[in-house]
Amino acid sequence: MSLASVVFALGLAAPEAQAAAPPATPAGPLAVAAPAADAQRGVTAYPPDFFAEQRPSTAFDMITRLPGFRLDRGDEARGFAGTAGNVLVNGERPTTKSDNLEDILKRISASAVERVELIRGGAPGIDMQGQTILANVVIKSTVQVEKVANIQTYLYPDGLFGPLLEFQASRRDGINEIEGSLKATVDRTDQTFDGGSRVTSFPDGRPTIREAVKGYDQIQNYAARGAIQRAAPGGKIRVNGKIEYFSFDRDVVYTRYQPSPGRQDSGETSKEWTGEFGARYDARLGPRTDLQLVFLQNLGDETYGSTLALPGHAEVYRERDKTGESILRGEVKHRRSQALSLEGSVEGAYNFLDGDIRYDVNGAPVDIGPPHVKVEELRGEAAGKAVWRANPKLTIEAGARMEVSRITQSGGGVDVERSFFYPKPRVLATWSPNSVDQLRVRVEREVGQLDFGDFIASADLAAGSQDGADVNLEPQRSWVGEVAWERRFWGAGSLSTTLTHAEISDVVDYKPLVGGGDAPSNIGSGRSDQFVIALTLPTQRLGISGGQVKARLSWFDSEVTDPVTFHKRRITNATPFVCNLSFTRDMPGGKWSWGASRNCPNEYSRFRLGEVRTQRFEPYLEGFVEWKPSPDLTVRTTLSNWTSRNVTRERVIYKGSRADNVVDRIEYRSLPFEPYLFIQVRKRLG
């Protein structure tokens, strides 16, 4: 179980639209666009009847059944424009960065959904959020009042319960909406294990060290959120807010039994408060012109600590980070015709991280970097885009974002100010030669976001390693080319292949520092290539009613020159192969569903100055059974981690630099994770 889960295929085209589209309203060009002209706009509409066999409970259930679609929750970078996922609600992106798309979709009952639209390759008047495939959940405009209770719990082999309680309420009446929710979780993560082992061997003949490993952790998460939307002069205004508390505690014990008894204790604690306030104003400036203004404010305060205890030796690391982000954005959309739309936007943002660190060894402070660092960024962006449907078979989207930023860093006698300017052009062409095939070609310049945490030195006490800070770190930049082909079949089937190539400048990876140690730094140019096959296969024609197979296979290859050995290698943390295969079946009668999914084994490596660390994950398998005795009650039971997979870590640690190629020791750690049961009960109260 991951931490995210705790708080966690040739003939007929898919259904298409039937009636003429009424004029758009201030809710957005997609909010009232009926499926009639959709085929001409590059949109495929899936009404509730398409999902009837599955009897979905939420919009999230509907999204997971879309052929050829995979949810992208969005990036966690700073800013608003470049962090969107691939789902809209009523043609609009949610005005939040702290709420992920999955949670938002799970709060929308399926009974409230008028249809789900799948937009492939772009269409006039549709903001693709930088994506090539987008889903839009259209909510019914009738009066709807809902109160929903979610009661969930994890059950572990040792008898522990991990409850998650949530209550949400909402009222929708056309343009007017009000909603809120409360959530509380007390649980553990995959950092709880027993029966693990660590073996350290030495090429020079020193005795092998063997240790037993046991770990225990707990998380707590409490969140309250609310939103209200009302009509305003010329359009509508929406205000939302959220406050959240999260804590994490972990203890790990290494008990040595060879060559002699010994013990190592390590622990971690983290406590974080976050708050968010967002506001959005939508207005109609003319029959074909829309205005949107967005304000977003996020604040956070996190305290982190770690300890290491050995006989006669103690280490303590403490860090406190205060963070903030303020965003103001304005966007204008103009639909020149059914075939052409224009968009322009400006965005300004202020971001900061104010961090304090302290590292003590046996009670004495140790200098690993400035004890206080403050990083601030003032950023502006102007963007323009045109979407042209040249003919019913060809759509072209072209545009660019121009970003200028100034980053200042102070603390520890270091005062640095740097300015950046990055143009980010993008061209996407979509060709649909017939009703079932589509070819998409994309060329784009992507600019990564700097992680402010990389400007603060830190220590990993359990691993005995430290991260320095490089004040000259710059954003990674890439020229990306992508070609994708998709074929729809059997009404709800889809097969797609995607090839992506990136030429990367200033790859962000670990690099030796002049004063010693290493840190996330720019290590030069590199490249990456990814090939993805995605399949959605309905099994009706194979003799299995109500079944759906989904598969995704992803091969990834990358290359960069290692700054230590000067040899070619893959980029740090790049996973060569990832796959997921799932089967879901809805039984006749609509009350029972079941399914299973499997993830393939995978691995990634991290290359440091004096170490190569490789993390490997064994296959992961889980299955579920869902029972819906009535339209307002859903009970789902999931048995996860059937294979009791192990997660292993291999550390090859060198004497001095890896360039000397003299291995000091090899450490191999294996952590087992037992199967666990997850029970979910969702009750709609009214």
Side-chain angles (χ1 to χ4, degrees):
M1 177 180 60
S2 67
L3 180 59
S5 70
V6 172
V7 191
F8 7 91
L10 269 127
L12 301 177
E16 301 200 345
Q18 304 285 329
T25 72
L30 281 182
V32 296
D38 287 352
Q40 302 302 317
R41 299 169 57 234
V43 180
T44 303
Y46 296 89
D49 290 349
F50 178 83
F51 307 96
E53 193 173 40
Q54 295 98 40
R55 294 183 66 184
S57 299
T58 68
F60 177 75
D61 299 334
M62 304 170 82
I63 288 291
T64 59
R65 297 303 183 94
L66 287 176
F69 184 79
R70 181 171 181 263
L71 179 64
D72 178 356
R73 294 167 177 81
D75 297 327
E76 295 183 356
R78 299 180 308 282
F80 189 77
T83 59
N86 60 353
V87 177
L88 304 176
V89 178
N90 278 345
E92 299 162 345
R93 175 185 173 187
T95 314
T96 178
K97 289 181 64 179
S98 63
D99 246 1
N100 67 60
L101 280 174
E102 181 175 334
D103 288 343
I104 292 171
L105 293 170
K106 285 182 176 179
R107 288 198 295 265
I108 301 174
S109 294
S111 59
V113 178
E114 181 176 307
R115 65 183 181 277
V116 180
E117 299 173 330
L118 196 57
I119 305 106
R120 296 176 170 92
I126 299 174
D127 183 1
M128 294 298 293
Q129 310 286 320
Q131 305 280 349
T132 56
I133 300 179
L134 203 68
N136 177 45
V137 178
V138 181
I139 307 298
K140 295 176 181 177
S141 58
T142 55
V143 177
Q144 301 171 71
V145 179
E146 280 192 330
K147 294 183 287 292
V148 177
N150 286 294
I151 303 174
Q152 309 175 16
T153 186
Y154 288 93
L155 303 178
Y156 299 97
D158 61 2
L160 180 73
F161 286 73
L164 187 154
L165 308 176
E166 183 176 19
F167 176 78
Q168 62 191 61
S170 64
R171 187 181 191 278
R172 299 182 178 93
D173 182 5
I175 202 172
N176 296 320
E177 298 179 9
I178 184 169
E179 58 181 89
S181 68
L182 297 170
K183 182 172 70 173
T185 306
V186 178
D187 201 8
R188 64 168 52 154
T189 77
D190 57 6
Q191 299 301 313
T192 292
F193 48 84
D194 196 358
S197 65
R198 183 169 70 175
V199 177
T200 305
S201 57
F202 302 90
D204 61 6
R206 282 174 286 171
T208 298
I209 299 174
R210 301 182 186 276
E211 300 165 288
V213 187
K214 183 176 182 178
Y216 180 83
D217 77 335
Q218 186 181 79
I219 68 165
Q220 295 185 49
N221 182 229
Y222 307 99
R225 58 166 299 278
I228 185 169
Q229 180 174 286
R230 289 290 184 265
K236 63 182 181 182
I237 188 167
R238 183 180 182 86
V239 176
N240 59 270
K242 180 180 181 181
I243 185 168
E244 183 170 14
Y245 170 78
F246 179 85
S247 69
F248 172 70
D249 292 277
R250 178 174 68 160
D251 295 295
V252 180
V253 178
Y254 293 84
T255 304
R256 189 174 67 216
Y257 58 89
Q258 184 184 325
S260 60
R263 176 169 171 149
Q264 171 186 310
D265 293 82
S266 63
E268 287 183 282
T269 63
S270 177
K271 301 182 188 303
E272 181 178 15
W273 283 95
T274 57
E276 180 182 70
F277 172 80
R280 186 184 70 214
Y281 171 66
D282 298 272
R284 175 58 52 85
L285 301 182
R288 298 180 177 178
T289 306
D290 298 323
L291 168 70
Q292 184 178 90
L293 301 176
V294 173
F295 173 73
L296 193 63
Q297 176 68 62
N298 278 284
L299 295 171
D301 190 339
E302 179 182 13
T303 302
Y304 171 83
S306 62
T307 59
L308 175 68
L310 296 164
H313 181 87
E315 299 180 27
V316 179
Y317 174 78
R318 294 287 183 263
E319 179 176 341
R320 182 176 182 182
D321 295 331
K322 296 180 180 180
T323 59
E325 179 177 41
S326 306
I327 300 172
L328 185 61
R329 174 179 173 82
E331 182 178 56
V332 175
K333 298 180 182 181
H334 178 65
R335 296 173 294 281
R336 296 284 298 176
S337 66
Q338 289 293 323
L340 177 65
S341 68
L342 306 174
E343 299 178 18
S345 65
V346 292
E347 179 176 307
Y350 169 71
N351 308 276
F352 74 87
L353 183 150
D354 196 341
D356 293 281
I357 65 169
R358 181 181 175 89
Y359 179 37
D360 294 338
V361 176
N362 293 329
V366 176
D367 183 10
I368 61 171
H372 176 79
V373 173
K374 186 171 185 180
V375 185
E376 298 174 277
E377 179 189 44
L378 190 62
R379 184 176 57 82
E381 181 181 272
K385 182 176 72 173
V387 181
W388 177 42
R389 194 164 183 83
N391 57 59
K393 296 182 178 181
L394 178 64
T395 300
I396 298 175
E397 175 187 314
R401 290 189 285 164
M402 305 294 177
E403 178 185 309
V404 58
S405 64
R406 185 185 69 202
I407 296 180
T408 60
Q409 180 179 346
S410 60
V414 176
D415 290 290
V416 179
E417 180 177 314
R418 295 178 295 157
S419 296
F420 303 100
F421 171 71
Y422 297 119
K424 296 180 282 187
R426 181 176 192 265
V427 177
L428 170 65
T430 304
W431 180 51
S432 305
N434 50 54
S435 62
V436 297
D437 291 298
Q438 187 176 84
L439 178 69
R440 298 184 290 271
V441 179
R442 174 175 69 98
V443 177
E444 182 172 7
R445 189 185 193 222
E446 298 180 347
V447 178
Q449 286 284 353
L450 293 175
D451 183 347
F452 281 1
D454 290 339
F455 291 98
I456 300 178
S458 62
D460 184 343
L461 301 188
S465 62
Q466 300 174 6
D467 281 7
D470 183 359
V471 297
N472 297 311
L473 181 64
E474 295 187 9
Q476 178 175 293
R477 303 173 300 283
S478 306
W479 277 104
V480 180
E482 183 176 276
V483 178
W485 169 81
E486 180 184 14
R487 181 176 180 84
R488 288 174 285 159
F489 60 93
W490 294 359
S494 171
L495 175 65
S496 68
T497 60
T498 304
L499 178 62
T500 307
H501 174 75
E503 291 291 333
I504 312 172
S505 301
D506 289 327
V507 173
V508 175
D509 206 324
Y510 280 90
K511 179 181 178 181
L513 296 175
V514 174
D518 59 1
S521 307
N522 302 110
I523 67 170
S525 300
R527 62 144 185 96
S528 69
D529 295 281
Q530 185 177 30
F531 180 63
V532 179
I533 299 176
L535 171 69
T536 302
L537 176 66
T539 62
Q540 184 76 30
R541 297 194 183 186
L542 302 179
I544 305 175
S545 64
Q548 183 188 73
V549 174
K550 275 199 169 187
R552 180 181 173 88
L553 310 176
S554 178
W555 292 266
F556 186 82
D557 181 54
S558 63
E559 185 179 83
V560 70
T561 300
D562 191 293
V564 177
T565 65
F566 301 104
H567 296 154
K568 298 291 186 180
R569 63 162 171 84
R570 69 178 184 236
I571 296 172
T572 279
N573 292 341
T575 302
F577 177 70
V578 177
C579 83
N580 176 265
L581 177 65
S582 67
F583 173 73
T584 304
R585 188 181 184 196
D586 303 296
M587 303 302 292
K591 291 189 176 183
W592 291 92
S593 299
W594 64 274
S597 64
R598 182 184 188 273
N599 290 332
C600 295
N602 58 66
E603 67 172 52
Y604 62 84
S605 297
R606 178 180 296 180
F607 302 86
R608 304 291 300 268
L609 172 62
E611 174 187 346
V612 177
R613 188 180 305 182
T614 301
Q615 200 95 350
R616 296 185 178 92
F617 302 84
E618 291 183 350
Y620 184 85
L621 181 65
E622 73 174 23
F624 77 90
V625 175
E626 188 171 88
W627 177 44
K628 299 175 183 176
S630 62
D632 59 357
L633 178 62
T634 302
V635 181
R636 182 184 178 107
T637 301
T638 304
L639 179 60
S640 297
N641 193 27
W642 291 3
T643 54
S644 299
R645 77 167 181 178
N646 277 19
V647 175
T648 64
R649 185 184 73 185
E650 181 185 64
R651 299 177 64 196
V652 180
I653 303 170
Y654 295 80
K655 293 182 178 180
S657 166
R658 282 190 294 114
D660 300 328
N661 200 29
V662 179
V663 177
D664 177 64
R665 64 189 186 274
I666 300 174
E667 175 191 293
Y668 183 83
R669 187 186 70 179
S670 178
L671 304 180
F673 301 105
E674 295 299 317
Y676 60 93
L677 198 64
F678 183 36
I679 301 175
Q680 303 165 276
V681 180
R682 184 182 192 274
K683 172 65 176 177
R684 194 167 70 242
L685 305 175

